[in-house]
Amino acid sequence: MSTPLVWKTPEEVRAWVASQRGKRIALVPTMGFLHDGHLTLMREGGRRAELVTASIFVNPTQFGPKEDLSRYPRDPEGDLKRCASAGVVGVYMPEPSSVYPSGYQTYVNVEEVSQGLDGDKRPGHFRGVATVVTKLLALFRPDVALFGEKDWQQLQVITRLNADLELGVEIVGMPTIRESDGLAMSSRNSYLSADERKRALGLSRGLFAAQKLAAGGEKDVSKLLAAIRAELAAVNAREDYVEICDASSLKTLSTLSPGQRARGLVAAFMGSTRLIDNLAIELG
Ligand code: AMP
């Protein structure tokens, strides 16, 4: 378990990548404050490539003006240890002024799949995500890049931009890692008080309830939404959105049909903390 290399500039990354010619490289982009969800992506990267790299960058362009950019949790020292334990050989930790130097003016906009859900609730969010991920994929030119299903809409945006811009990276989506009681792991869970942490279970409970109803033959989406909302109400969570969508186009559904891949997606506030979660919904 050796300490990973730390790269601060794109030149350092480019020089390292050039020196590894011929080796398969995996990249795991993150915003740090790493947990088992992130480490699962890194370990899977190690199964799919010879060298696993990661980035830790709290990307300012994906935060709205009233969001948590300035207080987003950070632990660079601990993160490097966690990266080492997951077999990561190098971590890119650039400064915002290096990623977006003065005069910067190029952004990537993925049109349709960035709309609705977090795209509507967090204007500009996916433009920031798509821009930084495109820059990372162009810089590392990895064979494979791994992302979590936890951020389902983000995964669809990245899959789309990789195809549309012909970047040729294998984009791998990994299942959401949950705490033993079902809460999706998230760096933002660290904002929760003990009471909020307990109540946060309403999101996953609602999604599992809807999944079970669908598996039992319920095709009326309004009934599935009601089941999710009942769990949110039971824990006094404030809904930001609750939707059942086609899993890849993210178009809203009103009825489930047999064989259709659908996804239940929730965003809700526990106090001032905004949490998201999602789950596969399939008609049984
Ligand atoms: P973040 O640091 O929150 O930007 O996340 C970095 C990557 O880790 C993204 O691809 C996320 O979808 C993924 N990720 C975050 N939480 C989880 C989780 N609980 N399970 C699996 N992947 C996750």
Side-chain angles (χ1 to χ4, degrees):
M1 190 172 110
S2 49
T3 314
L5 298 167
V6 175
W7 305 300
K8 300 296 286 180
T9 65
E11 290 76 19
E12 287 166 7
V13 173
R14 218 174 279 123
W16 179 82
V17 169
S19 73
Q20 302 302 321
R21 210 180 310 216
K23 295 219 176 101
R24 265 181 77 78
I25 294 176
L27 173 66
V28 178
T30 80
M31 297 205 300
F33 211 71
L34 303 176
H35 51 65
D36 278 350
H38 299 114
L39 300 191
T40 303
L41 304 185
M42 293 167 182
R43 290 194 201 99
E44 181 63 18
R47 284 187 275 277
R48 292 170 177 265
E50 293 164 87
L51 297 168
V52 187
T53 62
S55 60
I56 296 179
F57 179 58
V58 183
N59 175 35
T61 62
Q62 71 188 68
F63 286 78
K66 294 192 178 134
E67 294 182 356
D68 56 344
L69 172 63
S70 61
R71 64 183 194 113
Y72 195 84
R74 292 164 205 246
D75 179 17
E77 298 289 307
D79 282 350
L80 284 175
K81 291 195 183 115
R82 283 181 275 273
C83 284
S85 77
V88 171
V89 297
V91 185
Y92 182 38
M93 302 170 94
E95 295 300 325
S97 58
S98 154
V99 180
Y100 303 108
S102 85
Y104 189 90
Q105 49 190 294
T106 304
Y107 293 89
V108 176
N109 191 28
V110 179
E111 306 258 319
E112 286 171 31
V113 89
S114 295
Q115 287 168 20
L117 305 164
D118 276 298
D120 282 359
K121 296 295 179 180
R122 304 183 66 189
H125 172 64
F126 287 119
R127 175 183 185 255
V129 168
T131 299
V132 80
V133 171
T134 301
K135 284 170 66 88
L136 291 168
L137 296 181
L139 178 60
F140 279 82
R141 305 237 128 246
D143 296 278
V144 51
L146 300 99
F147 299 88
E149 291 183 350
K150 158 84 195 327
D151 301 278
W152 185 263
Q153 188 174 17
Q154 167 174 287
L155 178 58
Q156 308 317 308
V157 167
I158 292 164
T159 301
R160 196 67 248 168
L161 74 83
N162 179 61
D164 291 351
L165 298 176
E166 298 160 347
L167 299 179
V169 180
E170 183 190 354
I171 303 293
V172 174
M174 294 289 291
T176 301
I177 303 299
R178 297 177 180 279
E179 304 286 358
S180 55
D181 60 4
L183 179 69
M185 289 190 185
S186 165
S187 308
R188 289 188 169 100
N189 291 349
S190 65
Y191 296 145
L192 301 170
S193 68
D195 175 58
E196 288 167 348
R197 166 65 185 81
K198 277 188 214 139
R199 293 193 288 121
L201 274 188
L203 281 82
S204 55
R205 270 199 206 125
L207 287 165
F208 281 113
Q211 186 183 57
K212 196 165 162 202
L213 280 174
E218 181 57 72
K219 44 168 118 40
D220 182 349
V221 164
S222 66
K223 299 233 172 76
L224 305 178
L225 296 175
I228 299 172
R229 290 191 169 115
E231 293 294 343
L232 293 182
V235 298
N236 201 16
R238 183 161 58 84
E239 171 186 331
D240 205 20
Y241 63 71
V242 177
E243 283 196 43
I244 310 280
C245 298
D246 177 85
S248 45
S249 75
L250 298 182
K251 297 261 181 326
T252 309
L253 300 173
S254 54
T255 328
L256 298 182
S257 22
Q260 179 172 39
R261 279 177 70 241
R263 206 84 194 172
L265 302 109
V266 181
F269 286 92
M270 296 302 314
S272 58
T273 303
R274 184 178 184 275
L275 300 176
I276 58 170
D277 199 354
N278 70 87
L279 208 61
I281 304 284
E282 267 149 45
L283 192 58

